[in-house]
Amino acid sequence: MSKRIGRILKYFVLISGAVVMIFPFFWSFMTSFKDLREILMDPFSLIPKEFTLKNYVSVFTKVPFARYLLNSTIVALGTTFLQLVTASLAAFAFARMRFRGREVIFYIFLATMMIPQQVVMIPQYLVVMRLNLDNSYLGLIIPHAATAISIFFLRQFFLTIPRDLEDAAIIDGCGPLRTLFNVFLPLTKPAIATIAVFSFMWSWNNYFWPLLIISEPEMRTVQLGLAMFKSEGGIQWGEFMAATVVATLPIMIAYFIAQKQFVKGITLTGLKG
């Protein structure tokens, strides 16, 4: 009896938490189908009295939102790819290769995780401007091509791989890079998927860095594009909610594609930590 009550309470807490998390997204989604008059008269109603798609039409006709989506996609995919490459190479070196000062360098990497992003943003901005990379994809991608958290996360996975597999690869004539790509990476797909999801999500939602270096309208990202739905009279809530829904879809798609490996990666991290 006590187990049944405990199970009921557990499911109640989980369902309540899920409702609290999902409700804002549901409200935004339903609000995107209302006209501005209905939103202002009854902002807390969940079901529109009359469904309308004019907000979604305005999103792509009032501003070049499709171009903003393309820009964010290029930046997010480029950042994710470079983070996976740099994290794989650095994590393999820290986990398996022997060289002088390895531990010191690794702890310096970890120390950078404690530095707020706002502290390094101005030096990054000065470097990007000196290299004339403002208003460019490279300027948006290169400063975030490597992160300490990705390197640390992948290194912890590499440390769990048995040494015998690496020795067998060396006996078969594999060098360090071939060992990394043929042995280590196939065994760490959950970690790779986890890093990819987090990197893509962070890059997609990044607002302050594009705001600093982007001044040309055609190079704006999605997060900057959302600000276009503000006017002197206030926020156009219907259009803003429709744009928010559209901007959220790529993140949801990326998560569902990598969901299985992502959940497995988080679970294994908890078990191996």
Side-chain angles (χ1 to χ4, degrees):
M1 186 66 180
S2 60
K3 290 184 178 179
R4 180 177 297 179
I5 294 175
R7 186 178 301 173
I8 293 174
L9 289 175
K10 180 177 68 176
Y11 282 114
F12 175 77
V13 172
L14 292 175
I15 293 174
S16 300
V19 170
V20 171
M21 296 293 293
I22 294 174
F23 179 78
F25 297 99
F26 178 75
W27 181 84
S28 300
F29 179 72
M30 300 307 294
T31 302
S32 67
F33 293 102
K34 300 179 182 179
D35 59 27
L36 184 59
R37 182 178 180 182
E38 183 179 352
I39 294 174
L40 296 178
M41 291 181 62
D42 191 9
F44 299 106
S45 64
L46 295 180
I47 307 300
K49 295 178 181 179
E50 293 184 7
F51 281 83
T52 177
L53 295 175
K54 67 178 184 179
N55 293 324
Y56 287 92
V57 174
S58 297
V59 166
F60 291 98
T61 56
K62 187 176 181 179
V63 297
F65 206 74
R67 177 59 189 262
Y68 301 159
L69 288 171
L70 176 62
N71 292 339
S72 287
T73 301
I74 293 174
V75 173
L77 290 177
T79 302
T80 301
F81 174 76
L82 288 180
Q83 282 199 19
L84 290 177
V85 172
T86 56
S88 300
L89 296 173
F92 181 78
F94 285 130
R96 294 304 197 185
M97 300 181 70
R98 305 283 183 182
F99 55 91
R100 182 176 299 178
R102 183 184 68 172
E103 298 299 325
V104 175
I105 297 175
F106 177 69
Y107 287 126
I108 292 175
F109 264 90
L110 289 185
T112 61
M113 294 170 57
M114 295 182 288
I115 302 175
Q117 182 65 28
Q118 292 78 4
V119 175
V120 300
M121 196 169 287
I122 298 304
Q124 288 178 341
Y125 172 78
L126 294 176
V127 172
V128 167
M129 296 303 290
R130 287 289 183 90
L131 296 176
N132 294 321
L133 293 179
D134 56 311
N135 292 307
S136 68
Y137 293 126
L138 288 178
L140 291 169
I141 295 173
I142 296 300
H144 307 107
T147 60
I149 184 64
S150 299
I151 296 171
F152 170 76
F153 188 84
L154 201 55
R155 172 186 177 271
Q156 299 307 107
F157 266 79
F158 284 171
L159 290 175
T160 64
I161 296 177
R163 178 69 66 174
D164 295 342
L165 293 176
E166 183 180 357
D167 294 338
I170 295 174
I171 292 174
D172 289 340
C174 294
L177 286 179
R178 191 174 176 184
T179 302
L180 169 63
F181 288 106
N182 291 353
V183 178
F184 280 75
L185 293 185
L187 295 175
T188 54
K189 288 181 181 179
I192 296 294
T194 303
I195 295 174
V197 170
F198 278 122
S199 176
F200 184 91
M201 182 174 62
W202 181 89
S203 180
W204 185 271
N205 291 326
N206 193 9
Y207 174 77
F208 288 106
W209 181 247
L211 182 64
L212 277 179
I213 71 167
I214 298 301
S215 58
E216 297 180 1
E218 64 272 12
M219 287 301 299
R220 288 175 179 155
T221 59
V222 164
Q223 302 306 320
L224 296 181
L226 291 177
M228 300 299 295
F229 297 98
K230 295 181 180 180
S231 63
E232 294 181 359
I235 299 176
Q236 303 298 314
W237 287 109
E239 298 174 358
F240 182 78
M241 290 302 171
T244 301
V245 171
V246 174
T248 305
L249 286 178
I251 297 179
M252 297 178 64
I253 293 172
Y255 172 75
F256 283 118
I257 291 176
Q259 179 182 14
K260 184 177 179 180
Q261 296 294 335
F262 176 78
V263 174
K264 187 177 180 181
I266 294 297
T267 304
L268 291 177
T269 301
L271 293 175
K272 296 177 182 180

